[in-house]
Amino acid sequence: MNLAVEVAGIRFKNPLVAASGTFGYGIEYEGILDLASLGGIVSKGLYLEARDGCPTPRIVETPSGLLNAIGLQGIGVRNFVRDVLPRLARHDTKILVNVCGDTVEEYAEVARILDAAPGVSGLEVNISCPNVKKGGMAFGGDPRMTFEVVSAVRRATKLPVIPKLSPNVGDITVFARACEEAGANALSCVNTLLGLVVDVESRKPRLAFGTGGLSGPAIRPIAVRMTWQAARSVQIPIFGIGGIASASDALEFLIAGAQAVQIGTSNFVDPGVYERILSGLRDHLARHGLTDINQLVGTLQYPGDAPRGEARE
Ligand SMILES: Cc1cc2nc3c(=O)[nH]c(=O)nc-3n(C[C@H](O)[C@H](O)[C@H](O)COP(=O)(O)O)c2cc1C
């Protein structure tokens, strides 16, 4: 039975990848699970320099989800390359790095540094963080800026470039196409949805930053819909992301057109989620008489609509 997939020219041994910001830099999980059982790991977001992120409280629980405003706290790309990457690269899994910047030039510079770093398989370009005042969603919410940032990263590296799209837009297909035109090799779909939780006693936001990004099962149907729309609008492959906690959740994204998926908030609930989903995927293939997970990709039978394979030819 084949669970291996290829995204952006990178071969993942299975379609499960840890999502950025929910799995530390990867090495924090060394004693908790076998990192080699994952298809891949996306690092926390990295800028050129270290950052403190937002003041606390930075996380609040919501029905079936989390609202966070971490604000991309991090150690900076050079420290990552020097201190973390050599240790992470010892594990037999693919490493993607989440690239951030306050300016287009900063994105390109971070990409240039990672281009020369052994052990990195690809760059996920974070143009969709809702919790920073500059960069982030300000770039990913404007198709022209999206094109500009992705083009600059494209020019700065030979590594596969994977922009991470924001769900806080009207028509995600416009952004998916802007990324493809700028030379992206794949897309990550999606980041968190902008939300607000109010403390009714103090009448203040529950997060110190104010608004935050909503994640977890609460956002899954929106993320599946956006993955489906993005997959139909471009030729490049897609990581589906949003609220995956079970094999059936992961299968929804694959059937909707994603080649692989990323798991975020579930890491906080159950680090055994990868093993559980992998065994569920094998069961599903066996029950449906299939031998390869790729046979399921884009097979959604949408009423009155051509299946993706036909639509793309
Ligand atoms: C605490 C937290 C931190 C996150 N940090 C990042 C980040 O650094 N870069 C990024 O691109 N996405 C970040 N995300 C977004 C996730 O990678 C993912 O896209 C989102 O949470 C939806 O997936 P999920 O519902 O499985 O969590 C973060 C999410 C959470 C909950």
Side-chain angles (χ1 to χ4, degrees), residues 19-22 43-45 59 66 68 70 72 98 124 126 128 164 190-192 215-217 219 241-244 262-266 268:
S20 181
T22 64
S43 78
K44 253 166 98 66
I59 285 198
L66 272 188
N68 92 81
I70 307 291
L72 296 172
N98 189 263
E124 180 173 74
N126 184 357
S128 44
K164 184 160 177 180
V190 285
N191 210 313
T192 52
S215 62
I219 74 167
I241 318 170
I244 295 173
Q262 294 183 16
I263 296 170
T265 301
S266 286
F268 302 130

Side-chain angles (χ1 to χ4, degrees), residues 57-69 131 193-215 218-219:
R58 309 204 281 197
I59 285 198
V60 57
E61 258 191 77
T62 59
S64 287
L66 272 188
L67 195 74
N68 92 81
N131 307 322
L193 275 118
L194 192 62
L196 175 66
V197 176
V198 175
D199 180 333
V200 297
E201 296 305 320
S202 66
R203 299 183 194 157
K204 288 181 180 160
R206 292 275 298 276
L207 296 176
F209 184 72
T211 54
L214 184 65
S215 62
I219 74 167

